[in-house]
């Protein structure tokens, strides 16, 4: 997933979530192939049904930035504008931006309703396979925090899906591959109890001895469906917390029903807020105030919500998220909340579900928003419209505004004053 975008005059390589690549011959110039056409071509080669294709979108990804494209956008043309996008939306140095290489990927459409996905995975095993692969990736990299006991169960399922058996692992040896089957934060918490990890995973692996291979990926993704953070649109930033002298690096997740804020370093939940109780405000940084003691290097997405401490006491509070992606967070939140009725999860996972019913009464605009449209704002670079999307970063990446010094060979941190939030009535 770190290779360069590969393109010739008429060939585009698309990376899949199982770390394989798919070669697409366009029959014309690559810059003339839209994201919608490319997605449909990849899904046909993967034998994913047309209904299943709606669950996926074309993304452009790199270590610094990830964008979900509209069907009308042109992926290879946007790759040529990558450096401009990084300058606008990635907290990276000039050197980091120049070394960043985008790739084209097929990944889940963040706007695809979970209720439809639960029906889809029973009808389309190929779509289920790639949805499960992406869910596994997000879980193993810590983007879907889960309880430890569920983590052991998912680790056993992963081993079973890979064809591993208990006799492949002598007693006490499962701890040696813990980093491959468990999220880093779970491994860290049980660092002093490695035999406990082995015991719990081994117990769940024994329980799966009678499970048929064809149902394993369905069981795996079904467990992640129970997590409210599943299918989050991810963003990054930093915020202020009590008893912390410096701002805390955070990952922000937005679903149709909740807003999540996690500590990027510890992966612990800072806040989980119901969208019904939230109002937000976008506070743009003022370039004219740069150089003053109260400089704000990033825009601020201010999340206002109500805490009910008792029957008679309600407290209004707020969390400021400092980020170059503040405008994207606000736009995504409003879009998700407006479409929350489309994501009502009233379905079941019975063996023979009812067929997926297409809602013919939706007008053309509603249908596009429901399946393909990309809600994030766009950026004008020259005469071209560039989409803005979600992104992921490594847990150690510094988000505090690194800049080159006058000599261009050292980095200097731009410090955010801890008193800034009070200016916005936080």
């Amino acid at each position: 997933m770190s290779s360069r975008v590969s393109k010739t005059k008429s060939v585009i390589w698309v990376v899949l979530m199982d770390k394989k690549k798919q070669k697409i011959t366009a029959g014309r110039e690559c810059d003339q192939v839209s994201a919608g056409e490319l997605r449909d071509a990849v899904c046909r080669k993967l034998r994913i049904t047309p209904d299943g294709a709606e669950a996926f979108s074309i993304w452009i990804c790199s270590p610094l930035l990830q964008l979900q494209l509209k069907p009308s956008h042109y992926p290879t043309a946007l790759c040529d504008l990558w450096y401009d996008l990084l300058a606008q939306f990635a907290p990276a140095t000039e050197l980091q931006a120049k070394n960043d290489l985008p790739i084209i990927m097929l990944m889940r459409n963040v706007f695809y309703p979970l209720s439809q996905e639960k029906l889809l995975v029973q009808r389309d095993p190929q779509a289920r396979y790639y949805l499960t692969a992406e869910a596994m990736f997000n879980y193993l990299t810590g983007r879907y925090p889960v309880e430890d006991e569920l983590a052991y169960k998912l680790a056993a399922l992963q081993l079973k899906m890979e064809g591993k058996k208990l006799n492949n692992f002598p007693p006490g040896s499962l701890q040696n591959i813990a980093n491959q089957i468990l999220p880093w934060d779970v491994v860290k918490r049980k660092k002093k109890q490695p035999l406990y990890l082995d015991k719990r995973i081994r117990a769940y692996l024994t329980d799966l001895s009678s499970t048929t291979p064809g149902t394993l990926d369905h069981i795996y993704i079904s467990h992640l469906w129970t997590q409210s953070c599943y299918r989050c649109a991810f963003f990054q930033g930093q915020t202020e917390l009590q008893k912390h002298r410096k701002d805390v690096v955070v990952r922000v997740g937005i679903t149709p029903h909740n807003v999540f804020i996690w500590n990027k370093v510890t992966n612990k939940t800072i806040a989980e807020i119901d969208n019904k109780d939230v109002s937000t405000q976008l506070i743009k940084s003022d370039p004219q105030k740069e150089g003053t003691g109260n400089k704000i290097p990033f825009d601020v997405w201010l999340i206002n919500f109500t805490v009910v401490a008792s029957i008679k006491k309600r407290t209004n509070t707020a969390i400021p998220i400092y980020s170059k992606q503040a405008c994207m967070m606000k736009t995504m939140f409003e879009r998700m909340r407006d479409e929350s009725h489309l994501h009502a999860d009233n379905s079941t996972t019975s063996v023979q579900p009812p067929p997926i019913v297409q809602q013919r009464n939706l007008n053309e605009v509603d249908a596009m928003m429901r399946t393909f449209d990309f809600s994030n704002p766009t950026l004008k670079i020259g005469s071209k419209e560039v989409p803005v999307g979600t992104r992921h970063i490594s847990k150690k990446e510094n988000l505090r505004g690194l800049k080159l010094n006058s000599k261009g060979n050292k980095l200097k941190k731009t410090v955010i004053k801890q008193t800034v939030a009070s200016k916005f009535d936080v």
Side-chain angles (χ1 to χ4, degrees):
M1 292 169 55
S2 60
S3 59
R4 185 188 301 269
V5 171
S6 178
K7 58 180 182 178
T8 61
K9 186 174 182 179
S10 61
V11 173
I12 303 175
W13 288 93
V14 180
V15 179
L16 310 176
M17 287 307 298
D18 62 352
K19 300 182 181 180
K20 297 179 181 178
K21 294 193 296 184
Q22 194 65 238
K23 178 180 177 181
I24 300 298
T25 302
R28 59 183 186 276
E29 294 287 344
C30 289
D31 291 348
Q32 299 176 11
V33 180
S34 69
E37 293 172 327
L38 185 59
R39 183 207 64 173
D40 292 342
V42 174
C43 288
R44 282 195 298 269
K45 293 196 71 172
L46 298 176
R47 300 191 304 278
I48 296 174
T49 64
D51 283 344
E54 295 185 4
F56 299 92
S57 289
I58 293 296
W59 292 65
I60 303 179
C61 305
S62 80
L64 295 179
L65 187 65
Q66 293 192 352
L67 307 177
Q68 177 178 321
L69 306 188
K70 291 180 181 179
S72 59
H73 283 131
Y74 296 90
T76 58
L78 292 176
C79 289
D80 295 335
L81 299 172
W82 197 247
Y83 185 79
D84 299 291
L85 286 170
L86 294 179
Q88 185 74 17
F89 298 107
T93 65
E94 183 177 356
L95 179 61
Q96 289 173 328
K98 286 183 177 179
N99 293 330
D100 195 52
L101 301 177
I103 60 176
I104 298 173
M105 298 191 67
L106 181 76
M107 299 200 302
R108 188 187 189 277
N109 176 5
V110 296
F111 304 113
Y112 192 71
L114 178 60
S115 57
Q116 289 195 24
E117 180 179 330
K118 289 186 174 183
L119 299 174
L120 172 66
V121 298
Q122 299 176 76
R123 300 178 55 182
D124 192 334
Q126 284 295 96
R128 181 175 69 231
Y129 170 80
Y130 289 103
L131 289 170
T132 303
E134 182 169 348
M136 181 183 294
F137 173 82
N138 286 331
Y139 155 70
L140 290 177
T141 53
R143 298 189 181 106
Y144 292 158
V146 303
E147 297 293 332
D148 286 1
E149 204 61 28
L150 178 55
Y152 307 144
K153 186 180 296 185
L154 292 173
L157 276 166
Q158 180 181 339
L159 291 174
K160 185 73 173 179
M161 291 164 65
E162 295 172 355
K164 305 294 178 60
K165 300 179 181 179
L166 274 177
N167 54 18
N168 298 133
F169 304 99
S173 64
L174 285 174
Q175 63 206 45
N176 298 329
I177 60 170
N179 289 326
Q180 302 173 29
I181 57 178
L182 290 170
W184 59 268
D185 56 315
V186 175
V187 176
K188 183 178 179 180
R189 283 196 295 272
K190 297 299 181 181
K191 187 175 181 180
K192 297 182 179 180
Q193 299 176 287
L195 292 179
Y196 182 80
L197 292 177
D198 183 276
K199 178 181 177 181
R200 297 306 301 145
I201 297 174
R202 192 175 297 275
Y204 283 117
L205 194 54
T206 302
D207 294 340
L208 293 171
S209 58
S210 60
T211 308
T212 58
T215 62
L216 292 173
D217 54 351
H218 195 173
I219 296 173
Y220 190 99
I221 198 170
S222 295
H223 283 304
L224 289 176
W225 285 338
T226 64
Q227 306 302 299
S228 55
C229 59
Y230 180 74
R231 83 232 195 263
C232 270
F234 292 106
F235 302 88
Q236 56 77 36
Q238 57 195 53
T239 191
E240 299 172 341
L241 292 180
Q242 293 183 354
K243 300 181 181 180
H244 286 75
R245 294 180 59 187
K246 297 182 179 180
D247 290 349
V248 175
V249 179
V250 296
R251 180 194 301 114
V252 179
I254 301 175
T255 74
H257 308 293
N258 303 88
V259 175
F260 300 86
I261 304 173
W262 296 285
N263 187 319
K264 280 283 289 183
V265 178
T266 64
N267 214 33
K268 292 184 178 179
T269 302
I270 296 175
E272 179 179 348
I273 312 164
D274 191 309
N275 286 359
K276 296 178 181 179
D277 303 324
V278 174
S279 64
T280 68
Q281 180 183 0
L282 179 63
I283 303 172
K284 303 287 289 184
S285 60
D286 188 354
Q288 296 181 353
K289 293 184 178 180
E290 289 190 2
T292 67
N294 295 325
K295 182 180 70 172
I296 305 175
F298 300 141
D299 296 338
V300 181
W301 187 44
L302 194 62
I303 309 173
N304 300 288
F305 59 97
T306 302
V307 177
V308 181
S310 64
I311 297 178
K312 297 182 179 180
K313 185 178 180 181
R314 299 174 66 88
T315 304
N316 294 324
T317 186
I319 299 178
I321 304 294
Y322 304 94
S323 175
K324 281 189 173 183
Q325 299 178 341
C327 62
M328 295 156 32
M329 297 182 203
K330 179 175 174 60
T331 303
M332 179 66 75
F333 170 79
E334 293 175 348
R335 163 71 182 276
M336 288 287 198
R337 185 173 60 179
D338 290 344
E339 291 192 1
S340 60
H341 65 283
L342 297 176
H343 298 262
D345 188 11
N346 299 321
S347 66
T348 64
T349 55
S350 59
V351 177
Q352 301 205 359
I356 299 176
V357 178
Q358 300 293 336
Q359 298 185 24
R360 302 296 182 184
N361 58 337
L362 293 176
N363 61 37
E364 184 178 356
V365 175
D366 289 338
M368 285 295 291
M369 291 180 64
R370 207 177 148 224
T371 56
F372 296 117
D373 195 19
F374 177 67
S375 71
N376 288 341
T378 56
L379 169 69
K380 286 284 187 179
I381 299 179
S383 61
K384 297 183 178 181
E385 181 189 63
V386 180
V388 179
T390 58
R391 67 184 291 274
H392 306 304
I393 58 168
S394 65
K395 62 182 178 136
K396 294 183 179 180
E397 184 177 348
N398 191 321
L399 306 179
R400 301 184 63 80
L402 295 177
K403 293 184 178 180
L404 291 174
N405 68 358
S406 57
K407 295 182 179 181
N409 56 3
K410 291 184 180 180
L411 299 177
K412 181 180 179 182
K413 292 183 178 180
T414 302
V415 179
I416 297 177
K417 295 289 184 180
Q418 296 300 307
T419 58
V420 168
S422 61
K423 300 177 69 174
F424 306 116
D425 298 324
V426 177

